Amino acid sequence: MEIVDFKKKVWRHYKKAKRSFPWRETKDPYKITVSEIMLQQTQADRVVAKYVAFLKKWPTLKKLASAELQDVLAMWSGLGYNRRGKSLWQLAKVVSENHYNKIPNTIVALEKLPGIGPYTARAILAFAFNAPHACIETNIRSVYIYSFFPNSKRKIADEDLFPLIERTLDKKNPREWYYALMDYGTFLKKMKLTTNDRHKNYRKQTPFKGSLREARGAILRELVISQSTLNKLKEKIKLSSDKVEEALTALQKEKLVIKNGARYSISSKM
């Protein structure tokens, strides 16, 4: 597909079918950062309610920096991947202490913060600061594979896509351009016109039911209410004892959970 035709097609779809989300109604770097960390590995529709509730409770980075981790994880419950909630809490503390409560506006500074990787750093810059940097996530990836590699028999790598992303980037309005790409990618998936299994590093996610992820979430839900013993956790969580123990060990290694004597509780440490 020609670059000009590609851009016209993406913009045309966006103008007639753009999606509306609360994080698209703000340019506040803190609020954008909250949304980007929540959106990591979680569908946008599932994030909306948590995002609104989270910002109602902690409307500024300064307020989040003074929060208790237990309260943050309680609010996070239901989003999954709870380490992201801790990372966001840690990020707020680091930014409060080292950046005067202001989210940095450079890739180097952002990537030094907890929970911020290459994509998230560039997404924050695009959506909060309208800064043009090439970035890629699942929906953007789908758009470029579908549009530029329609008949390829080989798996497509991000290295194949980044030159195209650079060439097509709207440097005057990267914020809207990335929104348009994401909305078009969502449309393509909904219509079953493209799937991520054409990507070189595609890995099918294992079922949630009975998984370590389910056990981790169940443990944290119990511990944000009150501390507990291993036996009580096993009684309340309807999963195998081995799975509960494995999840509890992982949560301790990540310093989300600590053990005091025979009791486990949410950690309050960075």
Side-chain angles (χ1 to χ4, degrees):
M1 178 178 288
E2 295 292 331
I3 296 296
V4 173
D5 293 335
F6 167 74
K7 296 184 77 169
K8 286 181 178 179
K9 191 170 188 177
V10 173
W11 280 125
R12 187 163 55 245
H13 177 268
Y14 183 64
K15 287 177 181 177
K16 70 178 182 180
K18 68 178 178 180
R19 297 179 296 167
S20 176
F21 296 110
W23 50 86
R24 292 190 181 184
E25 305 303 320
T26 182
K27 297 175 184 176
D28 183 316
Y30 164 65
K31 294 177 180 179
I32 294 295
T33 300
V34 171
S35 71
E36 286 302 320
I37 292 181
M38 285 188 170
L39 287 163
Q40 292 170 358
Q41 298 176 287
T42 305
Q43 292 178 338
D45 290 341
R46 286 185 55 210
V47 169
V48 174
K50 285 290 182 182
Y51 174 81
V52 172
F54 193 97
L55 290 178
K56 185 176 181 180
K57 189 172 183 66
W58 298 293
T60 66
L61 184 141
K62 187 176 181 179
K63 288 186 179 296
L64 179 59
S66 64
E68 293 293 330
L69 177 58
Q70 185 161 336
D71 292 336
V72 174
L73 294 180
M75 177 66 73
W76 200 271
S77 180
L79 277 178
Y81 301 98
N82 291 277
R83 68 173 70 90
R84 293 178 301 156
K86 182 174 182 179
S87 293
L88 181 55
W89 174 75
Q90 291 173 316
L91 178 151
K93 289 186 174 296
V94 171
V95 171
S96 180
E97 293 171 4
N98 301 332
H99 298 281
Y100 306 99
N101 291 307
K102 292 186 177 182
I103 298 293
N105 61 358
T106 68
I107 290 174
V108 172
L110 284 168
E111 288 188 356
K112 290 180 180 179
L113 298 176
I116 304 293
Y119 166 74
T120 303
R122 288 157 178 79
I124 291 169
L125 290 174
F127 300 134
F129 302 101
N130 207 32
H133 297 281
C135 63
I136 190 167
E137 52 81 70
T138 181
N139 289 311
I140 294 173
R141 185 179 290 117
S142 295
V143 170
Y144 283 87
I145 291 176
Y146 172 79
S147 301
F148 293 98
F149 300 90
N151 301 310
S152 176
K153 300 299 183 184
R154 66 180 178 87
K155 296 285 187 177
I156 308 302
D158 284 352
E159 290 76 13
D160 300 312
L161 304 179
F162 267 110
L164 292 165
I165 294 172
E166 289 275 10
R167 287 177 62 193
T168 55
L169 179 59
D170 188 321
K171 295 186 177 180
K172 291 183 179 180
N173 192 7
R175 179 187 290 117
E176 291 288 325
W177 174 242
Y178 281 129
Y179 287 154
L181 285 171
M182 290 174 179
D183 288 359
Y184 188 43
T186 300
F187 166 76
L188 292 175
K189 288 181 181 178
K190 184 177 181 179
M191 300 302 293
K192 302 187 185 307
L193 294 173
T194 184
T195 57
N196 277 334
D197 60 5
R198 295 185 61 203
H199 185 247
K200 184 177 181 180
N201 296 326
Y202 172 76
R203 297 289 183 274
K204 187 175 181 179
Q205 191 174 62
T206 56
F208 177 74
K209 189 66 177 175
S211 68
L212 189 62
R213 287 180 290 135
E214 184 182 13
R216 288 166 58 95
I219 290 169
L220 290 174
R221 282 195 298 275
E222 292 294 334
L223 295 183
V224 296
I225 297 171
S226 65
Q227 56 182 301
S228 184
T229 64
L230 177 59
N231 286 337
K232 285 185 177 179
L233 288 170
K234 288 180 178 179
E235 287 175 9
K236 290 185 176 182
I237 298 170
K238 306 305 180 183
L239 293 166
S240 70
S241 293
D242 289 346
K243 189 69 69 175
V244 173
E245 289 187 29
E246 183 183 359
L248 196 53
T249 298
L251 291 168
Q252 286 178 272
K253 286 182 179 179
E254 294 171 23
K255 298 180 180 179
L256 277 164
V257 169
I258 57 172
K259 185 179 182 182
N260 295 307
R263 294 182 174 275
Y264 294 88
S265 61
I266 300 295
S267 172
S268 60
K269 297 180 179 179
M270 289 279 284

